[in-house]
Amino acid sequence: MRDLFPNAWHVARREYSQRVQSRTFFIVTLVLAAVGIGIALLPIGIRLIAGEEQVTAGLYAEAGTVEAAELEAILDANAGEDGTSYEVVAVTDQEAGRAQVRDEELDGLLSVTRAADGDLNFEAYSSATATSPQLLAVRAAATQLTSADRLERAGVDPAQSGEIFAPTA
């Protein structure tokens, strides 16, 4: 390339050297680096400022289906590092629970019934969007509860179910 455009190469090298050695280049480079680092760390800062989010969910469950403490334990175990903790409150009347969600006393209501085929039937009521992390956590918990219920109805001992779902070596 030097042979093709010798003058252009010398001019470009001189221009680059002068720009890199200028005070403006140094300041702009530092500002852009600081902005980049700030944007990268913004989610961590927001999480530190916002603190831990407390989600209060109501549970309306038919007898013999799910206990509030069981659902709360699964939700907290699945929460991971997103800074959310769950409190599950038993609700005795489904319509009253929905009214509490509308009045923003509860963040959501999960109704658990037993279907005709014996499986658990879940119905979530919330003002959250379909892709909210809390609603996704409730869906994951419902899947875990359904699997555990099916194993229990099939006569699989809880210790055996732990072996079944143990991670692969």
Side-chain angles (χ1 to χ4, degrees):
M1 182 166 178
R2 290 183 188 183
D3 296 336
L4 188 59
F5 300 108
N7 290 339
W9 174 256
H10 291 295
V11 170
R13 190 174 68 183
R14 186 189 68 206
E15 289 292 324
Y16 177 75
S17 297
Q18 286 178 350
R19 300 230 180 194
V20 169
Q21 293 173 358
S22 72
R23 182 180 306 154
T24 305
F25 179 83
F26 181 74
I27 292 171
V28 168
T29 302
L30 285 179
V31 168
L32 287 176
V35 168
I37 291 171
I39 289 173
L41 296 177
L42 188 63
I44 295 170
I46 290 172
R47 190 178 304 154
L48 287 174
I49 292 170
E52 186 175 292
E53 183 179 354
Q54 175 73 33
V55 175
T56 305
L59 173 66
Y60 172 77
E62 286 182 350
T65 55
V66 177
E67 298 293 326
E70 182 182 12
L71 177 61
E72 185 174 326
I74 291 173
L75 287 171
D76 282 336
N78 291 345
E81 298 178 10
D82 70 349
T84 303
S85 66
Y86 294 88
E87 178 185 3
V88 178
V89 178
V91 176
T92 56
D93 181 27
Q94 191 172 12
E95 287 307 314
R98 287 181 181 219
Q100 286 179 311
V101 173
R102 284 190 296 272
D103 295 339
E104 297 181 359
E105 295 172 20
L106 294 175
D107 294 313
L109 175 69
L110 183 66
S111 299
V112 183
T113 56
R114 190 144 322 257
D117 64 355
D119 267 351
L120 293 178
N121 187 24
F122 295 90
E123 183 181 330
Y125 182 77
S126 174
S127 61
T129 62
T131 58
S132 75
Q134 292 80 16
L135 197 54
L136 294 175
V138 169
R139 286 182 184 150
T143 302
Q144 286 180 302
L145 290 168
T146 300
S147 298
D149 182 65
R150 287 177 181 165
L151 288 171
E152 184 180 320
R153 286 186 297 126
V156 177
D157 186 63
Q160 289 176 324
S161 65
E163 292 174 12
I164 292 170
F165 293 109
T168 307

